[in-house]
C-alpha cells in the first residue's frame, strides 16, 4: 500500500502569487515525470486561506479540481481513495455560538471523560470543509456526514485491507479569539483537545480487523493540551496506532520523541519562512515496515529533501510491534525436518504463484511461495534448502527473513521432482515407444 501525503495547500489562485502557482503546477509535472503511483492520497487540512478567502462553493470547486488533477497524475481515478481531515482555515470562527461554546469547553473539558458540550455547533462550523467533501463525495454524502455521523463522533475512520486510518479532527475547539489592548488574537496552540472518548469509540470500531492504525490530523501532538496529549498517547498505544501524520506547522520533519513517530509535512504554497514539501509513504505487510520519502521545493524545483531524517530523504520504520497476529489467518501448517526431528509450524500464505513452461520437448511446472510463520522455539533453525509439503507440492526454502520479533518469512520455490531416474517410469516409457 502506497500513499501521497499533502497538507496546507491554502489554494487561492486569484490572490496567490506567481511563485505559489508555479510551485503547484510543477508539482503536477514532477509527480507525472517520476511516474509516482499510489493507492491513497492523505490530505491533512487547510484547503483555503481564511485570511483572504471567502467560504464559497467556487473556492471549494477550485481546490477539488486541483486535487483531482493531482490524483489522476498518481494513478487515482476514484475520489473514495482521497482521505482528508479539516484544518483551522476550514472552519468559520464566528459561526453561531462557536466562540462561546469553545470557551466553555476549554474551561470545563475533562480528559478523563473526553466529551464536548454542544458538539453539533463545533462540527457544523466547518462549513468550508463540508463544501470540499461535497465536491469529492457528493452533497448527499456530506449532508449525512455532518447531520448524522459527526453528531455522534467528530472523528471518522477508514478500514483498509492493509491498515486502518483514523481521521482525527484536531480543530474542534480551535479558533478562540480574545481581545487584548485594542487588538484581537487567536488562542490555540497548547490549549486544544480532541475528545478522548470519541477517539476510543472510533478506534474500537476498527479493532476487529487487527490492523495497525495510521492517524491523519491537521495539528501535531505537541500543540495539544498536555493532559490531552498524554491521555491520547496511552490510547494510541493500546489500539496499535503506528504513525501520526499531520501538517499545520508549514515545515517538514519526523519527530520520533513520542512513542509513535509523527511525520509533519510542509505546505503547498510559496511563502517566506515556510518549507513546501510532501511525502510518499508505503507499507509492506510482508515485512511490517513503513518507508517514507520526503520531497521539498527548493531553487524553483521539486527534489528529494535530504535533511528529512538521519539517513537522508528516506525514513524506514519497523512497526512489527503494532501488528496483532490473527489466529484465524495463521491456520496453514507445514512440517520441516529440523536437526533430525519433524517440527510443525503454523502460518499463512502471503503469495503463491504457479506457472507451466511449455518447452520444445517437455513442459515443466514452476512456482514461488512466500509464507509467514508464527515464531516458535524452532523457527530460528529454518535454513536454506529446507523442504516441506504444502498444497500437494514440495517446496524448497531459498530465503529466510527472521528480523521480525513475532514472525518469520520464508521465500520458497517449487521443488521439481526428477523422474529421469525412476526405473519403473522409464520401463513404461520404453515399452510405449515406436521405433521406425
Amino acid at each position: 500500500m502506497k500513499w501521497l501525503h499533502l497538507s496546507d495547500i491554502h489554494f487561492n489562485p486569484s490572490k496567490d502569487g506567481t511563485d505559489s502557482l508555479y510551485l503547484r503546477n510543477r508539482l503536477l509535472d514532477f509527480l507525472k515525470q517520476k511516474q509516482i503511483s499510489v493507492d491513497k492520497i492523505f490530505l491533512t487540512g487547510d484547503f483555503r486561506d481564511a485570511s483572504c478567502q471567502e467560504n464559497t462553493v467556487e473556492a471549494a470547486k477550485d481546490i477539488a479540481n486541483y486535487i483531482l488533477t493531482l490524483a489522476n497524475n498518481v494513478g487515482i481515478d476514484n475520489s473514495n481513495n482521497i482521505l482528508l481531515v479539516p484544518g483551522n482555515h476550514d472552519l468559520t470562527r464566528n459561526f453561531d455560538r462557536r466562540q462561546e461554546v469553545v470557551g466553555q469547553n476549554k474551561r470545563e473539558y475533562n480528559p478523563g471523560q473526553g466529551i464536548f458540550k454542544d458538539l453539533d455547533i463545533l462540527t457544523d462550523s466547518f462549513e468550508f470543509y463540508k463544501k470540499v467533501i461535497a465536491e469529492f463525495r457528493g452533497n448527499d454524502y456530506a449532508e449525512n456526514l455532518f447531520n448524522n455521523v459527526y453528531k455522534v463522533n467528530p472523528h471518522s475512520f477508514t478500514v483498509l485491507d492493509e491498515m486502518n486510518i483514523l481521521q482525527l479532527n484536531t480543530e474542534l475547539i480551535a479558533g478562540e479569539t480574545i481581545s487584548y489592548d485594542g487588538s484581537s488574537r487567536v488562542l490555540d496552540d497548547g490549549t486544544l483537545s480532541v475528545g478522548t472518548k470519541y477517539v476510543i469509540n472510533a478506534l474500537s470500531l476498527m479493532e476487529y480487523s487487527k490492523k495497525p492504525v495510521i492517524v491523519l490530523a491537521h495539528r501535531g501532538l505537541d500543540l495539544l493540551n498536555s493532559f490531552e496529549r498524554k491521555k491520547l498517547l496511552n490510547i494510541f498505544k493500546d489500539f496499535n496506532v503506528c504513525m501520526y501524520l499531520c501538517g499545520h506547522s508549514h515545515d517538514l520533519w519526523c519527530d520520533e520523541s513520542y512513542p509513535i513517530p509523527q511525520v509533519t509535512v510542509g505546505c503547498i504554497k510559496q511563502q517566506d519562512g515556510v518549507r513546501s514539501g510532501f511525502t510518499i509513504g508505503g507499507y509492506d505487510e510482508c515485512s511490517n515496515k513503513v518507508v517514507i520519502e520526503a520531497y521539498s521545493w527548493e531553487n524553483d524545483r521539486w527534489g528529494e529533501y535530504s535533511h528529512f531524517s538521519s539517513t537522508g530523504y528516506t525514513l524506514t520504520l519497523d512497526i512489527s510491534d503494532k501488528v496483532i497476529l490473527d489466529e484465524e489467518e495463521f491456520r496453514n501448517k507445514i512440517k520441516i525436518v529440523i536437526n533430525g526431528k519433524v517440527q510443525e509450524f503454523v502460518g499463512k500464505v502471503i503469495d503463491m504463484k504457479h506457472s507451466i513452461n511449455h518447452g520444445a520437448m517437455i513442459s515443466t511446472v514452476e512456482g514461488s511461495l512466500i509464507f509467514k510463520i508464527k515464531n516458535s522455539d524452532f523457527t530460528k533453525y529454518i535454513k536454506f534448502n529446507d523442504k516441506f509439503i504444502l498444497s500437494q507440492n514440495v517446496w524448497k526454502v531459498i530465503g529466510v527473513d527472521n528480523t521480525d520479533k513475532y514472525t518469520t518469512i520464508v521465500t520458497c520455490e517449487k521443488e521439481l521432482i526428477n523422474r529421469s531416474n525412476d526405473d519403473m517410469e522409464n520401463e513404461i516409457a520404453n515399452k510405449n515407444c515406436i521405433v521406425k
Side-chain angles (χ1 to χ4, degrees):
M1 174 186 159
K2 292 188 70 176
W3 65 83
L4 168 65
H5 177 200
L6 302 166
S7 192
D8 299 77
I9 301 178
H10 295 294
F11 197 81
N12 188 12
S14 63
K15 294 185 178 180
D16 283 334
T18 302
D19 288 343
S20 291
L21 297 175
Y22 183 58
L23 171 153
R24 294 185 188 124
N25 288 332
R26 290 295 294 133
L27 176 58
L28 297 175
D29 296 336
F30 180 77
L31 294 171
K32 199 169 187 178
Q33 290 166 5
K34 291 273 290 185
Q35 296 184 322
I36 291 172
S37 179
V38 300
D39 304 296
K40 306 289 177 185
I41 292 179
F42 298 156
L43 301 169
T44 50
D46 278 3
F47 298 97
R48 66 164 178 163
D49 184 348
S51 66
C52 59
Q53 194 173 17
E54 295 298 322
N55 172 25
T56 64
V57 172
E58 290 71 22
K61 286 182 182 295
D62 285 341
I63 181 61
N65 288 336
Y66 176 76
I67 292 171
L68 289 171
T69 301
L70 184 147
N72 185 64
N73 284 8
V74 293
I76 289 181
D77 55 10
N78 186 338
S79 61
N80 290 334
N81 292 319
I82 300 173
L83 305 182
L84 54 162
V85 295
N88 53 298
H89 280 254
D90 305 316
L91 61 84
T92 303
R93 292 176 185 168
N94 59 355
F95 179 86
D96 198 10
R97 295 170 40 240
R98 181 179 175 85
Q99 287 295 318
E100 174 191 337
V101 171
V102 166
Q104 182 182 18
N105 275 294
K106 284 188 175 183
R107 291 189 303 271
E108 301 177 8
Y109 174 78
N110 180 354
Q113 294 179 342
I115 59 174
F116 294 125
K117 294 182 177 179
D118 296 312
L119 179 62
D120 56 339
I121 292 177
L122 297 179
T123 56
D124 285 346
S125 60
F126 287 87
E127 294 181 302
F128 187 72
Y129 180 59
K130 182 179 180 180
K131 290 180 173 67
V132 172
I133 289 177
E135 291 300 321
F136 286 122
R137 302 287 184 89
N139 287 320
D140 289 344
Y141 179 91
E143 289 294 335
N144 179 62
L145 193 65
F146 275 79
N147 294 337
N148 298 307
V149 178
Y150 284 166
K151 295 294 186 288
V152 178
N153 194 327
H155 312 302
S156 54
F157 63 89
T158 304
V159 177
L160 305 175
D161 291 336
E162 302 85 358
M163 307 188 88
N164 296 329
I165 311 297
L166 173 64
Q167 290 151 266
L168 188 70
N169 186 342
T170 57
E171 311 307 307
L172 288 165
I173 56 173
E176 181 184 17
T177 304
I178 62 171
S179 299
Y180 178 76
D181 199 20
S183 62
S184 298
R185 68 185 183 95
V186 176
L187 183 64
D188 274 351
D189 294 350
T191 66
L192 300 181
S193 301
V194 296
T196 51
K197 186 172 183 178
Y198 308 124
V199 174
I200 289 176
N201 288 344
L203 289 170
S204 297
L205 290 172
M206 295 187 286
E207 196 174 19
Y208 74 92
S209 69
K210 303 182 185 299
K211 302 291 183 182
V213 179
I214 291 179
V215 176
L216 303 184
H218 179 62
R219 215 171 292 238
L221 291 165
D222 49 317
L223 299 179
L224 299 180
N225 177 296
S226 60
F227 296 104
E228 183 83 342
R229 179 170 62 248
K230 182 178 179 180
K231 180 75 68 175
L232 206 56
L233 287 170
N234 287 333
I235 294 170
F236 287 167
K237 180 181 178 182
D238 290 342
F239 285 92
N240 295 307
V241 172
C242 66
M243 197 181 323
Y244 188 99
L245 306 182
C246 61
H248 183 69
S249 297
H250 294 187
D251 210 337
L252 183 61
W253 78 85
C254 178
D255 184 349
E256 296 187 74
S257 62
Y258 295 116
I260 58 170
Q262 174 180 295
V263 177
T264 303
V265 296
C267 60
I268 308 299
K269 183 182 179 74
Q270 184 69 0
Q271 189 175 330
D272 290 340
V274 306
R275 178 167 295 281
S276 300
F278 66 91
T279 62
I280 296 172
Y283 170 56
D284 183 355
E285 189 180 14
C286 192
S287 66
N288 293 327
K289 286 183 171 60
V290 171
V291 177
I292 298 177
E293 300 173 348
Y295 297 87
S296 67
W297 176 259
E298 295 182 75
N299 300 319
D300 288 343
R301 62 180 293 273
W302 286 101
E304 299 164 353
Y305 183 43
S306 59
H307 300 294
F308 177 61
S309 73
S310 59
T311 55
Y313 82 103
T314 301
L315 176 72
T316 301
L317 302 168
D318 188 338
I319 63 168
S320 301
D321 60 333
K322 302 298 182 183
V323 177
I324 301 175
L325 300 183
D326 189 341
E327 300 300 331
E328 286 298 313
E329 290 185 8
F330 283 72
R331 60 189 176 197
N332 293 113
K333 296 181 179 180
I334 60 174
K335 294 181 178 181
I336 302 178
V337 178
I338 303 291
N339 296 332
K341 293 184 178 180
V342 176
Q343 303 293 344
E344 184 175 80
F345 302 94
V346 295
K348 65 176 180 177
V349 174
I350 300 296
D351 185 60
M352 181 187 289
K353 296 176 182 175
H354 296 271
S355 62
I356 301 177
N357 294 329
H358 298 284
M361 300 295 293
I362 191 171
S363 295
T364 59
V365 179
E366 297 179 352
S368 63
L369 168 70
I370 299 176
F371 194 79
K372 181 180 282 192
I373 299 171
K374 186 177 179 181
N375 280 349
S376 69
D377 292 339
F378 301 98
T379 45
K380 59 186 176 183
Y381 298 115
I382 299 174
K383 61 185 183 301
F384 184 77
N385 271 346
D386 280 344
K387 298 175 184 178
F388 62 91
I389 295 176
L390 182 68
S391 299
Q392 299 181 346
N393 292 289
V394 178
W395 299 91
K396 179 174 68 175
V397 176
I398 61 173
V400 180
D401 181 356
N402 55 11
T403 56
D404 182 42
K405 182 178 180 180
Y406 302 103
T407 61
T408 294
I409 297 171
V410 291
T411 303
C412 316
E413 65 180 7
K414 189 174 292 185
E415 176 77 356
L416 300 179
I417 300 176
N418 187 358
R419 296 288 188 182
S420 61
N421 296 325
D422 190 324
D423 293 336
M424 185 177 292
E425 285 291 327
N426 287 332
E427 185 177 348
I428 293 173
N430 290 332
K431 286 181 179 179
N432 285 285
C433 286
I434 299 175
V435 180
K436 292 184 178 180

